[in-house]
Structures are given as structure tokens and as C-alpha cells.
Amino acid sequence: MSFRPLPAQAPAALLREAKPLKALFGQAQRLTNLQRLVESQLQPAAREHCHVASWNNGCLLLIVTDGHWATRLRYQQRRLQRQLQMLEEFATLTKILFKVQPQVGPNRGTGRTIHLSNSAAQSIQAGAEGIRDPRLRAALERLASHTLKDQ
């Protein structure tokens, strides 16, 4: 007995006919529509930093890219809630929650490399010599070691 795979179907047909995929696609379309509505009420600068995660039982959960934007949006929360409640889709909105979720990937910085001038390094080294705490002294000496090589 040999295995015969089912014939391939077009993705559009799968989305229309397969119930789990149909439900998932419907949920994705719903979130896309809600995202569009929320963006219409946000300041242009905040739009790329705020994304709709869920909308259940009068509670809207928004994912924000960093704490700075979360704070700014929390200050505007009442105004945003009033404006969204005027829209039919958010008529039952009672609460907006903000969750910070930093972006992952190439958009994020990899960290800073510290380069000090020779005079700055010498000043830090001189300051470290007068410190009695061994951990603080070691930290300052490590910092002083980050000098620019071309000076």
C-alpha cells in the first residue's frame, strides 16, 4: 500500500474551506482592522511603536516597543479611550492596557563601545588610585582602559 498525498490546493481555497485556518485568518483580519482604527487615533510618531495584541471583553491590549512610548501613551490613555469609544468597534471599551515588548532583530542596537581620550582615561585612572573599595577601583580601572588607540 503506497501513500498518495492529497493534491495541492491554492492558499486562497485553504483559507476559505479549512475551518481552523479560516478562523485564524478571520482573527488576523479583525486585528488588522482594529490596528487601522487605533492608528487613526494615535499621533503619527506613535503609530509605528504601538500594535494591537488583543481585544476581549472591553479590554484592549496594546504592545508598545519601549518604555518611553508606553509612558507617553499612558499619559494620553484617557483621551485615546474616549476617542476609540466613539468608534462602533470599540463602543464597549472599558480599559486599555499597555505592554512593553522591545523589538527583536536587526533594528536594535548591539551595544555601545566605549572609547575615551587619553586625558579622560588618565583622569579616571587618577581617580581610581584614591578609591579604597576594591570593586569600585577595579571598575574605574576597566573604564580607564577603553582609550582611543590613535591619540
Side-chain angles (χ1 to χ4, degrees):
M1 192 164 158
S2 66
F3 174 72
R4 291 187 184 185
L6 297 173
Q9 294 182 355
L14 281 173
L15 290 174
R16 282 192 309 270
E17 298 167 6
K19 287 187 181 184
L21 289 178
K22 186 177 181 180
L24 186 61
F25 184 67
Q27 179 69 8
Q29 284 184 318
R30 178 176 171 256
L31 286 176
T32 300
N33 184 42
L34 295 175
Q35 177 70 32
R36 184 182 50 76
L37 292 172
V38 168
E39 284 179 356
S40 72
Q41 302 305 315
L42 290 174
Q43 296 173 350
R47 292 176 185 160
E48 68 182 84
H49 301 284
C50 184
H51 305 284
V52 175
S54 68
W55 165 238
N56 294 319
N57 301 324
C59 182
L60 177 64
L61 175 61
L62 299 175
I63 301 294
V64 186
T65 58
D66 59 43
H68 165 77
W69 283 104
T71 300
R72 287 183 67 170
L73 290 168
R74 284 186 186 110
Y75 279 119
Q76 301 173 21
Q77 184 172 357
R78 287 190 180 132
R79 177 196 57 80
L80 180 60
Q81 185 172 341
R82 281 193 308 270
Q83 288 176 325
L84 289 173
Q85 285 171 334
M86 291 181 197
L87 302 172
E88 181 180 338
E89 289 82 350
F90 292 109
T92 60
L93 179 65
T94 58
K95 182 174 19 174
I96 300 175
L97 299 174
F98 298 98
K99 181 177 180 183
V100 176
Q101 185 174 11
Q103 293 178 345
V104 179
N107 294 349
R108 296 197 62 201
T110 59
R112 295 182 186 165
T113 304
I114 300 171
H115 296 289
L116 299 174
S117 67
N118 284 334
S119 62
Q122 288 172 357
S123 296
I124 293 172
Q125 183 65 41
E129 290 172 5
I131 302 294
R132 291 186 182 158
D133 182 1
R135 292 189 307 168
L136 178 57
R137 183 177 183 159
L140 288 171
E141 288 172 346
R142 279 193 310 276
L143 180 61
S145 71
H146 294 282
T147 61
L148 290 172
K149 303 298 180 200
D150 25 309
Q151 285 188 351

